[in-house]
Amino acid sequence: FKMAAPKKYDVVVFGASGFTGQFVVEELGRVTSEEERGITWAVAGRNQEKLNQVLEKASATIGVELKDVVDVLVADVEQEETLNDMAAQAQLVLNCVGPYRFWGEQVVKACVKNKAHHIDICGEPQFLETMEFKYDEEAKKKGVYIVQSCGFDSVPADLGVLYTVKNFPGRINSVESYMSIHTGEEGGVGHFATWQSAIHGLANAEELRKLRKEMGTKKPLPKSGPKLENRGPVHWSEMLQKWCVPFPGADASVVRRSQRFLYNNGENFPYPRLFSLGYFSHEGPTQKQMEGASFTMQFIGSGFSNAVLEDGDYDGPPNMTIATQVEGPEPGYVTTPIVMVQAAVTLLKEMKKFPAKGGVLTPGIAFKDTSLVERLTDRGVIFSITAPAAST
């Protein structure tokens, strides 16, 4: 599927001078000066001076002079024509401006209108599902991909579930995932904007329920065998030998939407459950905190072996389990830029492997037939099988 007129830039990083945006600029600078030299790109935001400073700082960090090859565009979420101008020049916009519930829709709208693909790193379920509700049809008509949650929220969870299913020799009945964030001696914190997004999401949970009702996504997916037992607010995991609490992020919402899409398109699906913990500060983490931090997300899949399925009407408990994991560096500001940039490269290089001809998609749906898992593993966000499928 080809865009009508060639765009001036393959990628524009919007919100490049924000806390997360500056790390995305660094990572894109690294990748385009190493293996992806052909990619043309620009940075965009409200303040030209700040954008120039971001390019200077990124150049110093990665040891490559970006100013000669990266243009600076002025675009402001409160000035629609500047967003249209930006989107008209971009094949793909990487949108780093959050909280998305306040600033996100304007950018999505401009991208759909001007036929630019759009990738965000949003962890706000209400925004994500509202965009699907409002723009999915139009994006399909225009052949535009709006791919959501392409950061630590929610690529490890969404693609981790699909990776688990893909490596299971039989039919998966359930997948549980456990996330642990490891901080080094310096401790670890998230950035205030991330916390703000989470708080507004919690405050507006009622709107999300109404939206799901309207979209028809409240209808439960059909049962695929024994249901996972409810874990309660705190539970002990035998496998991890740790106490766990439920994770409040967007992962569960994103994974459920991928599973629903796959089910509606005739594919089998598991039931995910997600667990985790975390805290936030106004400054965001220091360089030292980021260097010391990492995450591990573990998946336990259980289901039925091919042998049992061949016998036909087996209705006992699952007889096989598999364990997989995704591990990587500090989640918010090291893993997220790696994931966002590799999602961008994959979209530009492998769009023909995407489903449909556009639309508002979760990462699991967009990337399930691409090489994104391999690309991420090469960049240090590593998918692996920790315990091959075995009979229980």
Side-chain angles (χ1 to χ4, degrees), residues 64-290:
V64 175
E65 193 42 70
L66 294 175
K67 270 193 162 156
D68 311 339
V69 287
V70 180
D71 289 349
V72 172
L73 311 177
V74 174
D76 184 340
V77 282
E78 297 186 40
Q79 296 176 324
E80 193 178 345
E81 69 282 8
T82 64
L83 296 180
N84 285 326
D85 189 43
M86 169 183 78
Q89 300 181 68
Q91 192 178 343
L92 166 63
V93 171
L94 298 187
N95 184 6
C96 304
V97 179
Y100 291 89
R101 66 174 296 121
F102 301 131
W103 312 119
E105 182 172 356
Q106 300 91 311
V107 186
V108 171
K109 187 177 165 187
C111 284
V112 173
K113 182 177 174 180
N114 295 282
K115 295 191 175 177
H117 305 297
H118 175 281
I119 284 177
D120 66 43
I121 43 178
C122 180
E124 306 161 45
Q126 188 188 351
F127 172 79
L128 297 167
E129 295 180 38
T130 302
M131 290 307 97
E132 183 186 6
F133 185 57
K134 289 176 79 167
Y135 294 98
D136 187 50
E137 282 310 310
E138 202 187 335
K140 281 181 181 143
K141 281 191 197 113
K142 295 269 180 83
V144 169
Y145 289 109
I146 306 293
V147 191
Q148 304 179 314
S149 308
C150 289
F152 177 70
D153 280 316
S154 289
V155 164
D158 205 12
L159 291 180
V161 169
L162 294 178
Y163 178 84
T164 307
V165 173
K166 188 174 159 186
N167 285 289
F168 189 86
R171 195 184 83 217
I172 277 223
N173 173 64
S174 69
V175 177
E176 288 191 85
S177 81
Y178 294 89
M179 181 169 74
S180 28
I181 296 194
H182 321 285
T183 55
E185 288 169 14
E186 298 282 324
V189 291
H191 184 252
F192 177 70
T194 309
W195 182 78
Q196 204 184 349
S197 304
I199 290 302
H200 284 293
L202 293 172
N204 294 279
E206 188 49 44
E207 291 170 37
L208 182 56
R209 275 193 286 278
K210 283 185 192 143
L211 173 72
R212 285 175 175 166
K213 200 170 169 183
E214 213 177 324
M215 287 178 74
T217 52
K218 285 294 279 183
K219 292 196 278 288
L221 289 165
K223 299 286 177 272
S224 70
K227 197 168 184 286
L228 274 174
E229 60 178 293
N230 214 343
R231 297 298 191 191
V234 178
H235 81 278
W236 176 256
S237 162
E238 274 306 319
M239 172 158 169
L240 303 179
Q241 293 291 299
K242 282 194 179 92
W243 289 100
C244 301
V245 299
F247 180 46
D251 287 348
S253 149
V254 171
V255 172
R256 271 196 298 272
R257 285 169 56 215
S258 293
Q259 303 307 328
R260 185 176 289 279
F261 178 94
L262 296 175
Y263 174 73
N264 290 341
N265 287 276
E267 298 192 38
N268 184 42
F269 58 93
Y271 288 106
R273 279 271 170 84
L274 301 128
F275 295 98
S276 153
L277 354 128
Y279 41 95
F280 301 85
S281 90
H282 241 300
E283 282 68 52
T286 63
Q287 194 60 41
K288 264 209 148 69
Q289 282 175 328
M290 286 191 275

